Amino acid sequence: ERKRMEEQFLQAQKMEAVGRLAGGVAHDFNNLLTVINGYSELLLGSLPPGAPARADLEEIFNAGKRAASLTRQLLAFSRKQVTQPASIDLNVLVSSLRKMLERLVGEDVKIAFAPGADLDLVMADPGQIEQVIVNLVVNARDAMPRGGKIAIETGNALLDEAYAALHPDMNPGAHVRLTVADAGVGMTDEVKAHLFEPFFTTKEKGKGTGLGLSTVHGIVKHAGGAIEVESEVGRGTRFRIYIPRAGSGGQVVAPVPPVRNSKGTETILVAEDQETVRRLAKVVLEAAGYRVLMAADGTEALRLAESHEGPIHLLLTDMVMRSMSGAELAKLVRREHPETRVLFISGYAERGLEEIGAAAAFLQKPFTLEGLRGKVREVLDAPMGGLS
Ligand code: ADP
């Protein structure tokens, strides 16, 4: 028993260290990727369709997008990702992902979805739960190289005391269960023992990163849930994810339809300490018609806010800056300009800022240009009350 505890402790320490490293690296990476992806996108937009440089640029842009999804995985498993929890209906979420999943698994693999009836809502970050589903489905596909069927199921599950006692990481109570099952190669006990470790992979070099399931683990833990794995070599694997039912009274969020008209004439104050990211935001927003004021940190942003005569419709601020945090800055700017709405951007969450709540507007770095324009418009058009 003591030996087992020791091992668990060492494992937890290892995860903690890797997580800290990942969070630190991802902050800088996300700034760099914002610049690489943003400027590639700008250039792509300015080239005519048949231009010879287009294919090369597209390669850069696609590699940048893959890198961005890798840092997202790192952040999720190290739990340094900013989360915006909301009440979600897993049936709606899976249905809306279905097309994308089918494209992902290819023609030889079929996806069967059996939505549970009267499914309870869960409180979690919708983007993260998407990541969980995508990771599980990709693994299921890889386990069936000659094709087959992936079964996705949802259902309500009441875990009782006895069950929780047998499964130390589960809490008794009402949960929603998400099952992803395949009839693939299955796993040996050895693989099962290391499954959730970061960088553990049995896939050939270049195919697996070993971050998929450690990400899933981080996300599910963060949502207060647990994971169960059943697998048999040669027969297949079944992952069951349990997420606690959301308390009543939560607001259900439907996926937000993309904003179509993302132009405007309002005044935006940009506070961002990375010069290249700041310049990118300026170029993009000015091209969309906005008037842009630029500040390299909180102090400068405050000075600008004080001396600016007209209204400042939006403060676009990095969450993590040298002199003061984005949240502090927002508070001070709104003393001077109560009309100002706030949109936070960040590459990762500092301690205490992991959860900014559904009411605050947030954009994850690296953002796409359309993502930036769309989010800015969305925040400017939202009713004022919800964004304090
Ligand atoms: P990666 O997919 O990059 O290898 P993961 O953390 O997602 O990283 O998975 C780790 C390992 O777990 C995989 O390499 C594979 O050996 C095993 N695994 C995960 N899901 C399945 C599955 N559905 N069937 C068989 N093995 C699996």
Side-chain angles (χ1 to χ4, degrees):
E1 180 67 8
R2 211 177 107 203
K3 193 91 197 122
R4 202 177 56 85
M5 295 278 279
E6 257 172 36
E7 264 166 32
Q8 254 181 13
F9 178 68
L10 282 177
Q11 178 64 14
Q13 265 190 333
K14 194 162 90 184
M15 295 284 272
E16 172 70 27
V18 179
R20 222 168 326 138
L21 179 69
V25 169
H27 174 67
D28 287 336
F29 266 34
N30 279 335
N31 275 321
L32 296 170
L33 287 169
T34 305
V35 174
I36 295 172
N37 298 357
Y39 283 97
S40 318
E41 209 183 328
L42 270 185
L43 271 175
L44 272 173
S46 69
L47 283 180
R54 238 194 131 79
D56 296 352
L57 249 179
E58 261 159 20
E59 291 293 335
I60 298 178
F61 188 48
N62 287 334
K65 279 199 288 199
R66 279 201 300 280
S69 102
L70 214 80
T71 49
R72 210 166 32 244
Q73 302 255 41
L74 277 172
L75 285 177
F77 108 76
S78 66
R79 297 192 226 164
K80 291 270 163 41
Q81 200 177 36
V82 178
T83 54
Q84 288 199 285
S87 298
I88 40 182
D89 180 336
L90 284 182
N91 286 344
V92 175
L93 190 82
V94 174
S95 304
S96 72
L97 277 181
R98 186 138 187 189
K99 275 237 155 56
M100 190 268 277
L101 293 175
E102 273 162 1
R103 236 176 302 130
L104 201 64
V105 299
E107 279 180 1
D108 298 332
V109 176
K110 294 277 164 274
I111 293 181
F113 175 40
D118 302 317
L119 197 68
D120 288 329
L121 302 175
V122 294
M123 182 63 84
D125 182 296
Q128 291 202 326
I129 300 299
E130 272 180 38
Q131 254 180 291
V132 167
I133 298 169
V134 168
N135 279 325
L136 292 178
V137 166
V138 165
N139 280 339
R141 176 202 64 192
D142 291 345
M144 300 189 293
R146 265 176 272 123
K149 193 180 87 175
I150 300 175
I152 305 180
E153 264 172 53
T154 55
N156 295 330
L158 191 66
L159 305 184
D160 58 22
E161 298 280 351
Y163 188 87
L166 285 175
H167 301 79
D169 51 341
M170 290 196 193
N171 296 313
H175 288 71
V176 175
R177 183 184 51 229
L178 170 78
T179 309
V180 176
D182 64 65
V185 293
M187 291 177 240
T188 60
D189 287 341
E190 169 69 14
V191 170
K192 245 193 270 180
H194 300 287
L195 202 55
F196 297 107
E197 281 178 25
F199 307 112
F200 174 81
T201 180
T202 60
K203 296 175 191 174
E204 54 189 280
K205 250 199 150 57
K207 266 207 101 186
T209 58
L211 285 175
L213 286 176
S214 48
T215 303
V216 168
H217 186 260
I219 291 173
V220 172
K221 274 261 138 341
H222 188 85
I227 309 176
E228 225 177 42
V229 193
E230 252 178 80
S231 184
E232 214 179 306
V233 176
R235 305 209 67 139
T237 303
R238 168 176 286 125
F239 282 90
R240 289 197 186 93
I241 308 276
Y242 293 90
I243 305 176
R245 182 175 76 185
S248 55
Q251 201 189 353
V252 187
V253 293
V256 186
V259 182
R260 243 180 265 128
N261 177 17
S262 51
K263 292 184 174 280
T265 56
E266 288 95 335
T267 301
I268 302 176
L269 171 57
V270 177
E272 159 68 60
D273 56 9
Q274 299 287 319
E275 204 225 322
T276 39
V277 176
R278 192 164 69 236
R279 245 185 49 221
L280 178 70
K282 183 178 162 76
V283 172
V284 174
L285 293 172
E286 283 184 345
Y290 297 101
R291 176 162 178 216
V292 181
L293 310 170
M294 298 235 283
D297 56 30
T299 322
E300 198 182 338
L302 266 185
R303 254 207 325 271
L304 272 173
E306 275 162 25
S307 62
H308 185 73
E309 302 263 319
I312 295 175
H313 301 93
L314 180 77
L315 167 67
L316 178 68
T317 178
D318 199 346
M319 277 177 22
V320 191
M321 287 183 297
R322 280 174 306 242
S323 60
M324 77 182 75
S325 76
E328 275 173 84
L329 173 64
K331 221 163 58 203
L332 294 173
V333 167
R334 291 182 78 176
R335 268 198 208 151
E336 201 75 31
H337 289 271
E339 78 283 3
T340 305
R341 288 149 198 267
V342 183
L343 173 55
F344 293 106
I345 38 173
S346 180
Y348 87 119
E350 280 275 38
R351 198 197 297 274
L353 280 173
E354 290 94 345
E355 253 169 48
I356 60 170
F362 172 75
L363 184 67
Q364 170 89 49
K365 278 185 199 169
F367 44 78
T368 63
L369 305 190
E370 195 43 51
L372 174 64
R373 286 187 294 253
K375 195 76 195 176
V376 162
R377 198 59 256 164
E378 186 190 314
V379 175
L380 283 168
D381 289 341
M384 192 71 185
L387 295 167
S388 46

